[in-house]
Amino acid sequence: MLAFMACATVSLAQDVLQGDSLQEVVVTGTGTRHLLKNTPVQTEVISRQMLASYGGKSLEDILSGLTASFAFNEGDMGSQTQLNGLGNNYILILVDGKRIHGDVGGENDLGLIDPHNIERIEIVKGAQSALYGSDAMAGVINIITKRHDTEGWLVENSTRYGSHNDLRQHNGVGLRWGQWQSYTNFQLQHTDGWQNTTNEYTEAKMITDTRNHTVNKYTNWQIAERLTYTPTKDMELYADGSYYTKRIYRPTDGRHPSCDVYTYDLKYRNASAAAGGKWYVGGEQPEAGSKRNVVTLDVSWDRHAYYYAFTDTTLEDGYYRGQFTHYYPYFTGQTNLQSDQQRTMANAKGVFYLPHDHTLNVGAEYRYDYLKAPMRVNGGKADDWTAAVYAQDEFDPFSWLNITAGVRLIDNNAFGLHVTPKLSTMVSVGNWRLRAGWSQGFKSPTTKELGYHYVKQMGANTYYYMGNTKLDAQTSNYWSANVEYRTDRFTCSVTGYVNRLDNMITLVNVPVSEIPPGATSAFAGDGSTNIIPRMYKNAEDAKTYGVDMNLSCNISKELTLGGNYSYLDTKANVYNTTHGVLHEVVIDGMAHHKWNGFVTWSHRFSDSYRLGLNLSTRGSSRRYYENDGDGKAYQLWRLNTTHDLGHSKLASYRVELGVDNIFNYKDTTPRPYHLGTTSPGTTLYATLTVKFNKGKRVKASAVRSMKEDEE
């Protein structure tokens, strides 16, 4: 293993083209703008230059390749994400400071995020900020999208094509006239999927000719619009909306009816709408970028729905108000709603710069969730609301000391009031930064964890997943300590953390006796199928702890190297009601060691040609699971090349050529056992990006673009 792979986080990587990450500005940890080197809350940043040199095709590809703290399992229902040992339930994903909407307590469809439109990504681990709610026990991922503030018009196109008929399309149209600005974004993603093995374990035997895929064929597309109006120098108003649809084509091989094959595809429909504004208040008219009090208001609505889209005549269970009533026939072309999740949110926030070096961030938010799932929730529908107020103060008593303290008051309709305090500090001594933090978190059970029930057949086993109305709310205590040394060319950082959760909710195997009476009518297969009930339970105690080590170095203006290493361990205990003892369980998906590394070189040969090379690697040790085997260790290598072909006053051009998984590693573990990686082996790809731009960049004013300041 190369020495540079021993440690590092891409958040600390130097700017390849400009060589000065010291000037990187971040906002996520505190809600206020700080240079990366001076942010009081430890923040990792994947910069625009790193995104451009790596050439990732998706957000999963980017995060797994450029940080060592994440792990992903791609599935039909979305991405099963894990951050430092905790899954989707505990990760808050934001786009320009606003949370994305996805499956309640389950996988998020990261295909909603267009990788071509990402300016940078900021990551804050643990519940270290009072600004964010219950979803952030593991951390916050904030995707900052690109700004389009050129007077006149902008048209851009990016087309990427690769192995397995993998197509990634991006189109953008930007217009600015006077006080109005518009940007329309379209993206399309398609793959034919792939099959790494034809072996599948089913009915207590191995078959060798299954047609099930490792990753199924799918197509999704999205169109989004953002309209901005600046009536005065002190005010900016916006409205935006999007529509997204996805279809996953599932195998229909009828030769092995007990296998995981279907007579229906999965279809998703998402929609969103939002409006809000920002007002700078008080004081004289300052220059752009100076500190000034600001108030923001936002309201939003989101919908995430998925359906069975039938490809053959199917006798499906019929439900009324969540209770099985009869069997109902569906025919080719018909759809059946499985889940319709809607969320309405309102947020108000103010940032005030006070005397004696205090910066106060205060806010309030309200969230209402509605779930309609006739086949999966008792009663057929459920709802939930949560309200919160928070305050966070940044205090700089000395030039070398920052103390940030906050508190969040949460009120949930089912679990009442709870207070979560936060405290962090940073000491600056020359090129050294010493940071320490402590925070508490609170998370109420989701509607899925309380009342969802569904069946999943895998091989010889039928799993019956059950909600639990007797669940308690979860609380957490997170401690972290960081030492960082940073110069213009070199950065090294070590962070240790412990995240202790009380009443952590996890899926565990339970006795068959806990299956509700009459529920067996939902089971597929015959009496020979092994039924394994799994229920959401509160663990008596659980904790994740580990160390992230960080290194990056600018060898020259053209050559940069770095890498990431993350060590993780987890412990959880659940009370076994049958035997009356504590039972230690695995937090599914945990790997002790993850790492990646990169070398980037860039050189301009002429005014019309610049070449960039990025060689990177990523890997993981064994991933542990309670059922169906562990995921194998792996290491993958990747080469991406960029070719900037010059530009005119109106147009610029870039070509990317790359190869992923250079040494053609495939995990051929038979279905349905867990995989270390779903990589299809060596893949080739090419991208063409063309941008047409007529106009000039708008001079900064007292009102910056709202996205520039949002968390």
Side-chain angles (χ1 to χ4, degrees), residues 12 68 203 238 312 331 345 368 449 470 540 567 590:
L12 309 174
E203 298 290 351
Y238 80 93
D312 200 354
F331 303 96
M345 290 193 67
Y368 173 75
E449 292 163 341
K470 298 180 181 180
E540 295 295 316
Y567 171 79
M590 183 270 295

Side-chain angles (χ1 to χ4, degrees), residues 141-170:
I141 308 168
N142 191 10
I143 292 96
I144 311 297
T145 59
K146 293 178 180 178
R147 296 175 57 192
H148 305 279
D149 55 0
T150 300
E151 187 73 51
W153 55 265
L154 165 72
V155 178
E156 55 185 1
N157 174 86
S158 179
T159 303
R160 172 183 171 133
Y161 185 78
S163 304
H164 307 287
N165 200 24
D166 189 280
L167 175 65
R168 311 282 162 151
Q169 177 68 36
H170 161 85

Side-chain angles (χ1 to χ4, degrees), residues 278-295:
K278 171 177 288 189
W279 295 265
Y280 285 87
V281 294
E284 299 294 327
Q285 192 67 255
E287 293 296 324
S290 63
K291 296 180 178 180
R292 196 176 182 205
N293 302 335
V294 61
V295 175

Side-chain angles (χ1 to χ4, degrees), residues 8-10 44 63-71 84 125 548-549 563-567 593-596 619:
T9 189
V10 95
E44 300 182 10
L63 291 176
S64 61
L66 295 177
T67 69
S69 302
F70 288 91
N84 283 352
K125 297 175 183 176
D548 294 332
M549 302 176 63
N564 311 301
Y565 170 75
S566 178
Y567 171 79
H593 309 280
K594 293 192 291 292
W595 60 88
N596 59 54

Side-chain angles (χ1 to χ4, degrees), residues 442-510:
F442 170 83
K443 180 173 174 57
S444 58
T446 66
T447 51
K448 180 176 182 177
E449 292 163 341
L450 291 169
Y452 229 51
H453 55 81
Y454 60 99
V455 177
K456 186 173 184 179
Q457 187 173 346
M458 297 183 65
N461 298 326
T462 294
Y463 292 94
Y464 182 49
Y465 295 91
M466 296 179 287
N468 184 356
T469 57
K470 298 180 181 180
L471 290 173
D472 295 320
Q474 305 163 93
T475 58
S476 69
N477 280 275
Y478 180 84
W479 296 268
S480 67
N482 166 261
V483 179
E484 175 184 302
Y485 178 78
R486 180 186 290 269
T487 67
D488 289 344
R489 291 185 174 272
F490 178 78
T491 299
C492 184
S493 176
V494 178
T495 303
Y497 63 90
V498 176
N499 203 351
R500 185 180 295 275
L501 288 81
D502 292 323
N503 295 320
M504 177 184 178
I505 297 174
T506 184
L507 267 172
V508 298
N509 296 346
V510 296

Side-chain angles (χ1 to χ4, degrees), residues 429-449:
V429 181
N431 293 324
W432 292 88
R433 299 293 184 269
L434 307 176
R435 299 180 179 90
W438 165 77
S439 60
Q440 288 188 339
F442 170 83
K443 180 173 174 57
S444 58
T446 66
T447 51
K448 180 176 182 177
E449 292 163 341

